[in-house]
């Protein structure tokens, strides 16, 4: 089964088609603290990332990526910050991102 992006309202799956369109999928960090920050950034109640949970590249800023290698990676310490939250979560989102 292709992995579905864990972000709210995002329906990107890690299929070959999506990958060939330039969408990349990234596993949650192994580092516990950073992983927790990603989970919090998702704002999904009760969500905890599993070994196979992924986020697609649409939730990261261009500067969050390390494109120097053959594989596009998320830079150490970078956190997902771009989400299309439903209205009842948006206010919280603004506080988190400091907008
Ligand atoms: Zn996504």
């Amino acid at each position: 089964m292709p992995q579905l992006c864990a972000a709210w309202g995002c329906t990107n799956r890690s299929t070959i088609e999506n990958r060939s369109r330039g969408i990349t999928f990234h596993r949650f960090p192994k580092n516990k603290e950073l992983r927790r920050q990603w989970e919090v950034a998702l704002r999904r109640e009760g969500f905890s990332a599993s070994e196979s949970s992924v986020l697609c590249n649409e939730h990261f800023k261009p500067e969050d990526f390390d494109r120097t290698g053959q594989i596009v990676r998320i830079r150490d310490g970078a956190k997902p910050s771009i989400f299309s939250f439903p209205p009842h979560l948006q206010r919280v989102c603004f506080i988190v991102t400091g907008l």
Side-chain angles (χ1 to χ4, degrees):
M1 273 296 282
Q3 277 296 319
L4 176 65
C5 176
W8 229 110
C10 183
T11 54
N12 285 338
R13 280 176 187 275
S14 65
T15 58
I16 294 167
E17 289 96 319
N18 277 334
R19 284 167 189 268
S20 68
R21 289 199 339 237
I23 301 174
T24 54
F25 292 85
H26 306 275
R27 284 180 199 277
F28 282 67
K30 294 251 186 289
N31 178 299
K32 266 196 189 146
E33 208 163 297
L34 191 56
R35 188 187 186 100
R36 184 76 202 123
Q37 289 177 19
W38 281 40
E39 289 170 356
V40 168
L42 291 188
R43 299 239 139 248
R44 287 179 53 177
E45 216 173 309
F47 174 80
S48 89
S50 73
E51 280 306 306
S52 56
S53 296
V54 291
L55 278 181
C56 74
N57 64 327
E58 293 182 357
H59 313 291
F60 296 87
K61 297 191 288 283
E63 62 265 32
D64 291 337
F65 296 100
D66 175 1
R67 295 177 182 277
T68 54
Q70 285 197 320
I71 306 168
V72 178
R73 303 160 136 279
I74 302 293
R75 285 183 193 286
D76 288 344
K79 281 175 286 177
S81 53
I82 303 166
F83 297 104
S84 46
F85 290 113
H88 73 282
L89 288 179
Q90 291 220 345
R91 203 166 51 90
V92 186
C93 166
F94 292 152
I95 294 166
V96 169
T97 58
L99 289 174

